[in-house]
Amino acid sequence: MITRSALLYLSEREGLKDFAARFKLFKKLTIRFVAGENIEEAVEAIRLINQKGCTASFDHLNESVKNEAEARAETEEYLAVLARIDETGIKSNVSIKLSQFGLQIDPELAYRNARRIVQEAASRGNFVRVDMEGSDVTQATIDIFKRLRAEFGLNEVGIVLQSYLRRTMDDAHDMLTIPARIRICKGAYKEPPEVAFPDKKDIDDNYVKVMQLLLSSGTYHGIATHDPKMIAATIDYMQRENIGKDAFEFQMLYGIRRDLQEKLAREGYNVRVYVPYGKHWYPYFMRRLAERPANIWFVMKNMIKG
Ligand SMILES: Cc1cc2nc3c(=O)[nH]c(=O)nc-3n(C[C@H](O)[C@H](O)[C@H](O)COP(=O)(O)OP(=O)(O)OC[C@H]3O[C@@H](n4cnc5c(N)ncnc54)[C@H](O)[C@@H]3O)c2cc1C
């Protein structure tokens, strides 16, 4: 039985990443979770998502770039995405990871690159979500986000918090004083028990508490989950507190619980689908398998079918 932590361990192996990326065969495995290798494939996926009544967020897959030139290339990719959103009229914003822009090389480099994206988005009336990565970069990510938020508006740049982190409730209070638009999710990385709750129950309890704090804040936030219990808790809370459906959005990942995405959209909730694309899909793909090791069988069946 392959466990969550074994899959998360494999997700961090650089050698496997390069090995997997080189083989076309692996592309077939990823179709369920990754919208394609280039912008145009992602645009087509988003058109279909829009037709189902959902909005989207582009995510160009390429974590932990190794040098300044790669970080610049990532920045150019996102500038092109923002232009393409305008040209095609699709309903989408963008999600970025600061490691893509050089966070591990030099935080100033990541800040400058991220700033270019947020500036471009702001000039186009669009929005940039700064994803949250492993706990080794939580503080650096928050620091850069705060600088960006000081320069740009509430509806131009937002952040992500993870309910598995012990620090998240404090961060949520802090962010709301700015104020900032927050996406709350459970958290997808391998973390030690000192920084993250090891038990699902604690992660879920914290998720509900943060979700309630966000919904009551009056700012537009993202409730990111596929967990029917978290979704039910959100709907229950908003109904009890008389909070409107347009005061927040549900967010889910491309290819996961499409039935639920469409059902919530039909019921009048705002639903945004996070759409990853690109050649460097390996760590993202492995984190999705880690969330639900049963998906390995789904993937293998597809491979055998050819
Ligand atoms: C829009 C969005 C953005 C995200 N951004 C970030 C981020 O910036 N940083 C970060 O650390 N994490 C991010 N995540 C990932 C998140 O942290 C979780 O790892 C992921 O969403 C799984 O948690 P869950 O809330 O869906 O519930 P879980 O407790 O993992 O699962 C609950 C139920 O949801 C369904 N489900 C969950 N995952 C899958 C799957 N892979 N395949 C099929 N069914 C599944 C199953 O029915 C499962 O029983 C994001 C998630 C979403 C939806």
Side-chain angles (χ1 to χ4, degrees):
M1 172 75 181
I2 301 182
T3 61
R4 173 177 186 271
S5 63
L7 287 162
L8 286 179
Y9 171 81
L10 289 174
S11 79
E12 291 166 1
R13 295 304 98 192
E14 289 294 315
L16 275 175
K17 181 165 75 184
D18 294 343
F19 174 81
R22 250 182 271 133
F23 287 89
K24 280 268 178 261
L25 171 72
F26 284 89
K27 196 181 162 193
K28 271 162 65 184
L29 307 183
T30 63
I31 290 172
R32 177 170 177 193
F33 300 115
V34 178
E37 289 205 345
N38 56 50
I39 296 182
E40 292 318 313
E41 286 175 296
V43 165
E44 284 319 306
I46 291 175
R47 276 192 216 282
L48 297 177
I49 287 165
N50 288 169
Q51 278 169 21
K52 302 284 183 190
C54 304
T55 55
S57 192
F58 271 89
D59 165 37
H60 185 241
L61 298 170
N62 194 4
E63 298 163 34
S64 308
V65 301
K66 290 181 203 66
N67 54 52
E68 205 169 328
E70 281 179 26
R72 203 174 322 115
E74 282 305 303
T75 311
E76 299 300 331
E77 178 80 14
Y78 270 98
L79 296 176
V81 165
L82 286 164
R84 209 64 195 115
I85 292 172
D86 272 1
E87 285 156 15
T88 56
I90 54 174
K91 289 189 193 132
S92 184
N93 61 29
V94 297
S95 292
I96 60 172
K97 287 187 171 54
L98 293 181
S99 62
Q100 271 174 304
F101 299 138
L103 187 60
Q104 272 94 345
I105 305 165
D106 172 12
E108 273 312 298
L109 174 69
Y111 161 72
R112 284 197 305 274
N113 286 330
R115 190 180 184 286
R116 282 183 70 198
I117 308 295
V118 180
Q119 184 145 48
E120 182 73 12
S123 74
R124 294 178 180 278
N126 210 328
F127 175 81
V128 178
R129 177 77 61 181
V130 181
D131 283 353
M132 191 56 80
E133 303 178 66
S135 62
D136 53 329
V137 293
T138 305
Q139 193 55 50
T141 304
I142 287 177
D143 290 345
I144 291 178
F145 167 72
K146 282 184 168 175
R147 286 173 72 185
L148 294 169
R149 178 64 188 88
E151 290 176 78
F152 297 95
L154 176 69
N155 293 320
E156 292 167 348
V157 61
I159 183 92
V160 178
L161 296 177
Q162 302 149 318
S163 73
Y164 66 9
L165 290 189
R166 294 180 188 274
R167 58 178 285 170
T168 283
M169 187 49 102
D170 290 342
D171 286 333
H173 279 289
D174 182 31
M175 293 295 159
L176 291 179
T177 61
I178 298 177
R181 277 173 59 176
I182 298 169
R183 170 199 297 153
I184 181 68
C185 66
K186 290 191 188 178
Y189 297 81
K190 193 168 176 337
E191 300 292 357
E194 307 83 73
V195 296
F197 300 111
D199 293 337
K200 183 171 162 53
K201 184 175 180 318
D202 294 326
I203 299 170
D204 289 358
D205 287 352
N206 202 34
Y207 190 101
V208 171
K209 283 188 205 139
V210 176
M211 172 275 289
Q212 293 181 345
L213 180 73
L214 299 189
L215 255 52
S216 292
S217 71
T219 295
Y220 187 88
H221 299 292
I223 308 298
T225 183
H226 317 95
D227 188 341
K229 281 203 214 113
M230 298 301 107
I231 291 168
T234 305
I235 294 175
D236 177 58
Y237 186 72
M238 60 163 280
Q239 287 176 345
R240 245 186 309 134
E241 297 294 311
N242 258 329
I243 294 166
K245 285 179 178 171
D246 54 356
F248 70 99
E249 64 188 30
F250 284 116
Q251 300 183 346
M252 294 189 212
L253 301 176
Y254 180 77
I256 300 182
R257 294 301 314 265
R258 281 191 183 143
D259 55 333
L260 193 52
Q261 296 170 10
E262 290 169 22
K263 176 176 173 286
L264 288 167
R266 278 197 306 272
E267 288 170 2
Y269 293 98
N270 293 332
V271 179
R272 188 175 300 276
V273 180
Y274 182 101
V275 179
Y277 76 97
K279 292 193 175 68
H280 301 279
W281 46 262
Y282 177 78
Y284 176 88
F285 176 71
M286 292 302 280
R287 289 198 297 275
R288 301 294 76 81
L289 290 189
E291 279 151 18
R292 195 161 177 261
N295 278 338
I296 291 172
W297 300 114
F298 172 89
V299 159
M300 286 176 78
K301 258 193 306 189
N302 269 15
M303 237 178 116
I304 293 160
K305 269 197 236 150

